[in-house]
Amino acid sequence: MSRPLAIEQAERCFDSGAFRQLLARRIAIPTESQNPERAQVLPQYLEEEMLPAFEAMGFTCRILTHENARAPFLYAERIEDPALPTVFGYGHGDVIRGLEAEWLPGLSPWTLTESQGRWYGRGIADNKGQHAVNMEAMRIVLQTRGRLGFNAKYLIEMGEETGSPGLRELCETHRELFAADVLIASDGPRLSAQRPTVFLGARGSMNFDLSIEARAGGHHSGNWGGLISNPGIQLAHAIATLVSPSGQIRVPEWRPEFLPASVRRVLADCEVDGGADGPAIEPEWGEPGLSPAERVFGWCSFEVLAYKTGNPDTPVNAIPPRAWARCQLRFVVGVDADDLLPALRRHLDREGFPMVRIDTTRETMFRATRLDPDDPWVGWTAASLQQTSGKKTAILPNLGGSLPNDIFTDVLGLPTVWVPHSYPGCSQHAPNEHLPPELLREGLRLMTGLYWDMGAGGTPAAKV
């Protein structure tokens, strides 16, 4: 009964093909939460895969629902001793649309397929592969030690890809049931495929529309050009006041006052690397004076996701009556989420664009979160991963993307440490989603070691 033996068992589980078989079965369930025709498939994943797996580990399980949710949740807990630390885990079993017709020949979103050293399948990175790693690691610790040595609570939702409707309300309702010392979960990518990573929160995200409706219809550009305004030109100039030609944000309220010293310190040895399939970093784009890691993990970014004026498919010689743009702001801790759109309105009015209309979209706004990199849980987790891998753990103050992490921090009051098992080039949300199997294998080793250490005493939550 030892840590090395548990990790050896993890390697054996992977190398024998048992883990692949389990993952293939879960990927085969087409849990597309964005597709109304798959609504009945969502509870199937919980009932056929999650419930039996947790119950086999001695967890007590409950299917939870909320009127604001479109799909059920599964809550599982194993309480070994109230005096022991309690770890809250989270994962989501729903996936983005499969987009079957767009996958490479010989690949299918619902069949785990190995090709050119990669495992392909929808959900392998987001998030079935990641919570499968964590659940199997707990099972291996139980098998090796006979107990976890800590209390475990786990929540699996089936609506993350539609904005996690009902998750906040569920956590508010069950705040005492979900009480724990720390959240340790897995989602999103590592800094790079080769380097074990922890991230401590997520950038906030808000999508919004900017539009100008000048008049009812178009008018001939020869007869009216120079006499009436062009909404496409006006909106382009309005957007140009928000961001510089090199991507620097110009709305003061959309920028943090400074980058905390602890954030700068942990990012100092982090190099952004999208791998062979990733785009080349453009050093002159974004906030000047910051490293690439600081720009994506420590600062804010503004993007125009779509822009339309006139008829792009069949342009005509007419001044268009309207223009529209879908925009997005990713923001970090230190920016007031409640003032983002009011600040935008003030800015546009000040710059002479009162005609620009601002509308929110149906996407959920995620609030920014960030556990202090100096928090004891961060150092403890990083040390465990480094002991298992022999590699220095990359510590990211927050994910560059967004997660409903603010629910866990603000509603449940948990310190949050995420250990991702994916990498930036995984084609998450796109056709041909994949992971290198060696990354999943290492993830299984890392989480087995982490859960072993959690039950061995000496954690930041250990009772004296």
Side-chain angles (χ1 to χ4, degrees), residues 426-447:
C426 68
S427 298
Q428 171 187 342
H429 287 197
N432 310 313
E433 181 178 347
H434 67 275
L435 284 180
E438 59 269 19
L439 198 157
L440 286 168
R441 186 180 190 273
E442 183 174 52
L444 188 58
R445 296 179 72 253
L446 293 174
M447 295 307 294

Side-chain angles (χ1 to χ4, degrees), residues 17-31 41 44-45 47-54 56 93 109-113 122 128 132 135-136 139:
F19 182 83
R20 174 174 174 164
Q21 183 178 11
L22 175 147
L23 188 53
R25 194 173 65 237
R26 293 176 180 174
I27 286 173
I29 304 175
T31 51
V41 179
Q44 176 187 343
Y45 185 80
E47 295 161 3
E48 295 183 3
E49 288 295 329
M50 298 293 98
L51 191 84
F54 278 113
W110 315 123
T111 302
L112 179 59
T113 306
R122 178 62 86 215
K128 292 177 178 178
M135 292 168 64
E136 278 296 281
R139 184 191 64 78

Side-chain angles (χ1 to χ4, degrees), residues 202-210 242 249-257 299-303 327-350 357-360 363-369 402:
R203 285 204 292 184
S205 176
M206 181 183 66
N207 286 12
F208 56 93
D209 290 346
L210 299 180
L242 306 180
I249 292 174
R250 287 173 161 169
V251 182
E253 296 91 336
W254 285 5
R255 301 153 46 97
E257 292 185 14
W299 209 250
C300 306
S301 63
F302 170 78
E303 307 295 343
C327 303
Q328 181 185 77
L329 182 71
R330 300 273 186 180
F331 58 96
V332 296
V333 169
V335 173
D336 184 356
D338 294 325
D339 192 42
L340 295 177
L341 292 185
L344 174 59
R345 181 73 274 162
R346 295 192 300 269
H347 174 88
L348 290 173
D349 290 348
R350 187 167 58 244
R357 175 173 169 169
I358 305 169
D359 290 296
T360 57
E363 289 98 339
T364 300
M365 184 184 80
F366 293 101
R367 292 178 177 266
T369 56
S402 301

Side-chain angles (χ1 to χ4, degrees), residues 148-165:
L148 289 176
F150 59 92
N151 302 316
K153 299 181 177 182
Y154 222 105
L155 186 68
I156 302 288
E157 73 159 313
M158 300 302 296
E160 196 269 353
E161 300 295 3
T162 57
S164 296

